């Protein structure tokens, strides 16, 4: 079964409201093994909605519409669908009673136009709204299914889960299950080359790459009779991708670099401290987002000036004069200084030029050094990043977290 989701509302087109309904419905439909090939957003205009519906009926078996079921004149979803499918609207007394009772519970007077919401296409299956006034409905006609749901997520989501999901469950025998591998340290093009043969030969499961800021995600998707069967199909593909990419795969699904890195710190019972210049505390902020990290995070300092680097971290004036604040020599002394000052197992330091100004021919904007010091050794990475100030700061902190993660993964 192929589906199309149509979100109705001019406020969505204007960007005043985020279309979270489409995301929710796509996830739920995938659990049912229903393919979503198109998502459409259309404003509160009868002709444009009619055009969108006509096109959707040609390319999908199942249409799910959200929004436009309210009491006002610009709420046109129900009327447009009924007219297109040549179905008269008729009063559904049970829905009218529910609407009246809703206003009584709210201690509000029911406006006459709210009665409009109780009219539904003849022969449809009415879906009660337990959290608002607009009922939903399911229409079956000529091997097509059209489902109309209210726009507010607090009304739409429970209506879908309680009534639509069980209805669709009886019409499909498959589930679509996905697992996402998160990769850091390999660009999208280079990563694609490493697994191109797997992409070219994909059937079930399928493999798709998605580039995000600083990382790439690999989505492996399988279709099977149940989730257990789909997971079994995904497993060998996942294992082969992990074998090829090694430690570049840092997590799965919604895991972030800071979550994975902090979990390793907590598992290994190691402490960490940070000294930051151009990132201005962003690394410490990411680390301290994670619940329970207080057992591992000793301290974080922002040593922006050379004076602060010398007084707090013990960076020598000779190093700063000879090599400059943005240098491998300085970042190593910063990392060693914060590790010793805090008595942490790991010290992480960052210095660089985030821009937009401050760069030179030899030290351009985007040149950043990340240093790590443990109780036994020190090392650094030299980064050449591009983009605006915020992008450079974000990518720098991700690289710092990744350096710590890779070190922790090597420990016994």
């Amino acid at each position: 079964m192929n589906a199309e989701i149509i979100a109705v509302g001019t406020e969505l087109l204007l960007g005043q409201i985020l279309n979270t309904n489409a995301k929710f419905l796509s996830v739920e439909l995938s659990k049912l093994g229903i393919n979503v090939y198109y998502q459409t957003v259309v404003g509160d205009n009868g002709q444009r909605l009619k055009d969108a519906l006509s096109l959707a009926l040609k390319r999908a078996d199942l249409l799910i519409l959200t929004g436009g079921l309210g009491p006002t004149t610009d709420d046109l979803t129900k009327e447009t669908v009924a007219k297109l499918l040549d179905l008269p609207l008729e009063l559904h007394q049970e829905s009218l009673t529910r609407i009246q009772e809703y206003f009584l519970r709210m201690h509000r007077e029911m406006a006459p136009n709210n009665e409009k919401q109780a009219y539904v296409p003849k022969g449809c299956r009415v879906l009660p709204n337990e959290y608002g006034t607009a009922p939903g409905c399911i229409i079956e006609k000529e091997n097509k299914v059209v489902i109309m749901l209210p726009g507010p997520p607090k009304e739409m989501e429970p209506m879908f889960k309680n009534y639509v999901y069980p209805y669709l469950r009886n019409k499909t025998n498959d589930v679509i299950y996905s697992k996402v591998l998160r990769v850091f340290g390999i660009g999208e093009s280079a990563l694609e080359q490493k697994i191109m043969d797997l992409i070219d030969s994909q059937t079930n499961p399928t493999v798709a790459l998605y580039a995000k800021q600083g990382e790439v995600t690999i989505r492996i998707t399988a279709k099977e009779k149940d989730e257990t069967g789909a997971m079994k199909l995904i497993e060998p593909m996942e294992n082969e991708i992990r074998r090829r990419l090694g430690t570049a795969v840092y997590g799965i699904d919604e895991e972030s670099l800071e979550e994975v890195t902090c979990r390793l710190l907590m598992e290994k019972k190691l402490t960490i401290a940070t000294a930051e210049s151009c990132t201005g505390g962003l690394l410490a902020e990411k680390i301290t987002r994670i619940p329970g990290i207080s057992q591992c995070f000793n301290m974080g300092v922002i040593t922006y000036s050379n004076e602060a680097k010398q007084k707090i971290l013990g960076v020598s004036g000779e190093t700063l004069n000879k090599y400059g604040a943005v240098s491998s020599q300085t970042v190593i002394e910063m990392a060693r200084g914060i590790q010793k000052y805090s008595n942490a197992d790991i010290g992480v330091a960052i210095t660089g030029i985030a821009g937009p100004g401050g760069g030179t021919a030899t030290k351009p904007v985007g040149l950043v050094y990340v240093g790590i010091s443990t109780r036994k050794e020190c090392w650094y990475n030299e980064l050449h990043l591009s983009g605006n100030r915020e992008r450079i700061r974000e990518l720098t902190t991700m690289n710092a977290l990744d350096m710590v993660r890779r070190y922790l993964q090597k420990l016994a």
Side-chain angles (χ1 to χ4, degrees):
M1 181 181 286
N2 299 328
E4 179 160 346
I5 298 167
I6 302 177
V8 183
T10 302
E11 67 276 10
L12 295 168
L13 293 174
L14 294 175
Q16 296 170 344
I17 295 178
L18 188 64
N19 186 12
T20 58
N21 285 346
K23 179 181 185 296
F24 169 83
L25 290 170
S26 292
V27 170
E28 294 299 315
L29 291 172
S30 71
K31 296 176 185 177
L32 293 161
I34 297 173
N35 303 306
V36 178
Y37 290 148
Y38 299 95
Q39 293 181 5
T40 300
V41 179
V42 61
D44 299 305
N45 179 279
Q47 185 58 52
R48 288 193 285 272
L49 177 55
K50 180 183 176 183
D51 293 342
L53 285 165
S54 299
L55 179 59
L57 286 168
K58 293 175 183 177
R59 61 191 183 188
D61 313 302
L62 168 66
L63 276 60
I64 300 183
L65 296 94
T66 64
L69 301 182
T72 61
T73 54
D74 64 346
D75 290 306
L76 301 168
T77 298
K78 196 165 42 183
E79 291 78 4
T80 306
V81 170
K83 186 175 181 180
L84 183 65
L85 298 180
D86 195 25
L87 296 172
L89 292 173
E90 58 183 17
L91 179 67
H92 187 250
Q93 185 59 50
E94 184 179 338
S95 292
L96 180 58
T97 301
R98 280 179 171 272
I99 294 169
Q100 292 167 338
E101 290 173 347
Y102 175 86
F103 279 97
L104 285 173
R105 288 197 305 274
M106 296 295 106
H107 300 286
R108 290 163 50 197
E109 184 178 350
M110 176 178 156
N113 60 354
N114 279 106
E115 186 173 327
K116 169 179 178 284
Q117 296 178 291
Y119 281 82
V120 299
K122 185 176 182 178
C124 74
R125 179 183 303 191
V126 179
L127 308 176
N129 188 339
E130 291 154 4
Y131 297 90
T133 56
C137 66
I138 299 173
I139 301 169
E140 295 180 350
K141 187 171 182 180
E142 298 175 359
N143 297 317
K144 301 286 185 178
V145 177
V146 180
I147 301 175
M148 290 181 276
L149 302 172
K154 67 177 183 179
E155 300 176 30
M156 186 277 293
E157 292 181 14
M159 186 181 290
F160 182 91
K161 290 178 180 178
N162 294 336
Y163 302 105
V164 179
Y165 191 97
Y167 165 82
L168 293 175
R169 176 78 278 177
N170 292 327
K171 288 184 171 291
T172 181
N173 297 316
D174 296 318
V175 300
I176 298 174
Y177 178 80
S178 294
K179 187 170 189 178
V180 175
L181 303 182
R182 308 188 78 90
V183 182
F184 189 86
I186 304 178
E188 184 182 16
S189 298
L191 194 157
E192 185 180 56
Q193 291 303 311
K194 289 179 177 290
I195 63 171
M196 179 60 78
D197 59 313
L198 300 178
I199 295 173
D200 287 341
S201 62
Q202 63 182 323
T203 52
N204 187 21
T206 59
V207 180
L209 306 184
Y210 303 92
K212 301 179 68 177
Q213 180 162 277
E215 65 176 306
V216 181
T217 60
I218 305 172
R219 183 178 298 276
I220 311 171
T221 303
K223 190 170 187 176
E224 250 295 343
K225 298 299 180 186
D226 54 42
E227 190 172 303
T228 301
M231 290 170 67
K232 287 181 180 178
L233 283 176
I234 287 172
E235 186 176 1
M237 180 68 77
E238 177 187 356
N239 290 342
E240 177 59 21
I241 291 173
R242 285 182 178 274
R243 185 188 69 79
R244 297 188 188 192
L245 302 184
T247 55
V249 179
Y250 75 81
I252 61 170
D253 297 331
E254 298 301 318
E255 288 182 318
S256 65
L257 259 175
E258 54 262 38
E259 287 174 321
V260 173
T261 303
C262 290
R263 184 169 65 240
L264 287 168
L265 281 167
M266 290 185 278
E267 288 173 356
K268 296 180 183 297
K269 295 181 172 57
L270 296 176
T271 55
I272 191 169
T274 60
E276 302 178 62
S277 183
C278 65
T279 48
L282 185 58
L283 176 60
E285 194 275 327
K286 283 182 177 288
I287 291 172
T288 54
R289 285 179 191 172
I290 308 305
I293 200 60
S294 58
Q295 62 186 288
C296 300
F297 187 68
N298 280 14
M299 66 180 297
V301 298
I302 302 171
T303 51
Y304 224 71
S305 69
N306 285 354
E307 183 181 9
K309 291 178 177 67
Q310 289 179 277
K311 285 187 175 181
I312 298 173
L313 303 177
V315 177
S316 74
E318 183 181 353
T319 297
L320 290 167
N321 290 330
K322 186 175 182 179
Y323 301 106
V326 180
S327 64
S328 60
Q329 293 83 359
T330 295
V331 85
I332 285 295
E333 290 190 25
M334 289 173 65
R336 188 182 293 118
I338 192 62
Q339 185 268 318
K340 290 182 178 178
Y341 184 84
S342 65
N343 194 32
D345 297 303
I346 303 167
V348 186
I350 293 170
T351 184
I353 306 168
T360 66
T362 55
K363 293 185 178 182
V365 171
L367 174 64
V368 179
Y369 292 92
V370 180
I372 293 184
S373 176
T374 69
R375 299 186 190 278
K376 296 181 179 179
E377 58 183 329
C378 297
W379 67 96
Y380 72 92
N381 275 354
E382 180 179 306
L383 307 174
H384 296 269
L385 306 173
S386 62
N388 61 25
R389 184 178 182 84
E390 289 312 305
R391 184 175 189 273
I392 290 170
R393 294 173 73 243
E394 179 70 23
L395 292 179
T396 298
T397 59
M398 292 180 75
N399 274 276
L401 288 164
D402 192 59
M403 288 175 67
V404 176
R405 173 187 71 89
R406 290 173 187 262
Y407 166 70
L408 293 170
Q409 286 179 334
K410 290 190 294 185
L411 297 178

